[in-house]
Amino acid sequence: MSLEVDEGLRAAGLSPDEAAAMQYFLAELLRWNRVHNLTAIDETEAAFHLHLIDSIVVLPILQRYLQTPLRVNETPIQIADLGSGGGLPGIPLAILQPTWFFSLIEASKKKAAFLQHVRGGLGLSHLQIMASRVENVANTHRAFFDAITARAFTRLHKLLDLSAPLLKSSGFVFAMKSQQSEEEISEVSSKDWTLLEECQLSLPGQTLDRRLLVFQYQQ
């Protein structure tokens, strides 16, 4: 792994162990991608900025909504990452937040196999891989999750429709978008969902438009 990637991870505030875990994940993502086409980005520096940092910068926002005094001594926070693909943002979030439990939902068997490989390689016991369609998971995990994450998974109103059966009352959806979102937001039912925040994210060394939309389910 390049020195630039290592220095970039340290600059993002990661500990040596966290940086090493991220480097392993990125190296495996790029290695598997050469055979299995897990992602369209296959150059190390681009993958670093567009995948790892993109996922890392959303964590403080998730923490702000999910780590409240009312949750003290409760069961672990349950997060579902829909259409996890190559493990983004689920794997980086799981590396940085070991007290939460993550379920990475991915229908593609080859991508799910990669996620299982990384889970084992990093020993992420607080993470499970669900090789299934989101609709099928909703049948067995109804109203189970505190929050949903998704990165460029599907159009916003469809993402929220898929998320609703999975969420606990007043649960959150954190939707990562790479473009202006006004048209997609206008398609969302205000009866079922409240848009709490639209965060514009700044990625080091990038000028791309990155946004995180935070929705709360009104059951």
Side-chain angles (χ1 to χ4, degrees):
M1 191 61 58
S2 73
L3 180 61
E4 289 81 4
V5 170
D6 180 64
E7 291 176 345
L9 291 170
R10 299 294 180 86
L14 275 64
S15 70
D17 286 346
E18 291 168 341
M22 293 290 185
Q23 288 180 343
Y24 170 83
F25 167 55
L26 179 57
E28 292 302 288
L29 177 62
L30 297 174
R31 184 172 70 86
W32 276 59
N33 192 52
R34 287 193 287 271
V35 177
H36 299 291
N37 192 29
L38 301 176
T39 173
I41 300 173
D42 59 5
E43 190 272 320
T44 301
E45 290 299 325
F48 166 63
H49 285 293
L50 296 177
H51 289 336
L52 291 188
I53 296 298
D54 198 15
S55 299
I56 291 169
V57 296
V58 304
L59 180 58
I61 302 168
L62 271 67
Q63 291 171 330
R64 175 153 51 85
Y65 282 98
L66 297 173
Q67 290 184 332
T68 66
L70 295 177
R71 294 203 59 89
V72 174
N73 296 326
E74 288 191 7
T75 55
I77 292 171
Q78 296 282 348
I79 308 289
D81 188 37
L82 304 194
S84 197
L88 299 154
I91 296 289
L93 292 177
I95 290 170
L96 298 178
Q97 191 66 56
T99 61
W100 297 357
F101 196 89
F102 292 85
S103 297
L104 275 53
I105 303 174
E106 175 52 56
S108 166
K109 296 298 187 286
K110 67 180 181 181
K111 293 178 181 179
F114 167 74
L115 297 175
Q116 288 283 16
H117 168 73
V118 172
R119 178 189 183 275
L122 292 175
L124 298 175
S125 60
H126 61 297
L127 181 149
Q128 67 173 339
I129 312 304
M130 307 181 81
S132 180
R133 293 178 58 84
V134 175
E135 296 89 339
N136 295 336
V137 175
N139 292 330
T140 57
H141 290 71
R142 184 166 294 273
F144 181 79
F145 297 99
D146 298 285
I148 303 291
T149 59
R151 181 179 184 268
F153 174 47
T154 186
R155 197 158 180 89
L156 184 59
H157 73 88
K158 184 176 181 181
L159 166 63
L160 296 178
D161 287 346
L162 290 169
S163 299
L166 296 166
L167 282 174
K168 297 176 183 177
S169 178
S170 300
F172 299 97
V173 171
F174 299 92
M176 300 171 68
K177 292 290 180 178
S178 59
Q179 70 281 326
Q180 298 279 341
S181 311
E182 286 75 10
E183 181 181 348
E184 289 194 56
I185 292 173
S186 70
E187 299 171 349
V188 174
S189 168
S190 58
K191 177 176 66 72
D192 299 321
W193 297 94
T194 299
L195 176 61
L196 300 178
E197 192 171 358
E198 183 175 0
C199 309
Q200 187 159 0
L201 305 174
S202 176
L203 306 187
Q206 296 290 324
T207 59
L208 297 175
D209 184 12
R210 287 284 196 258
R211 293 163 186 256
L212 180 69
L213 305 178
V214 184
F215 284 89
Q216 189 168 34
Y217 183 42
Q218 306 301 323
Q219 203 168 26

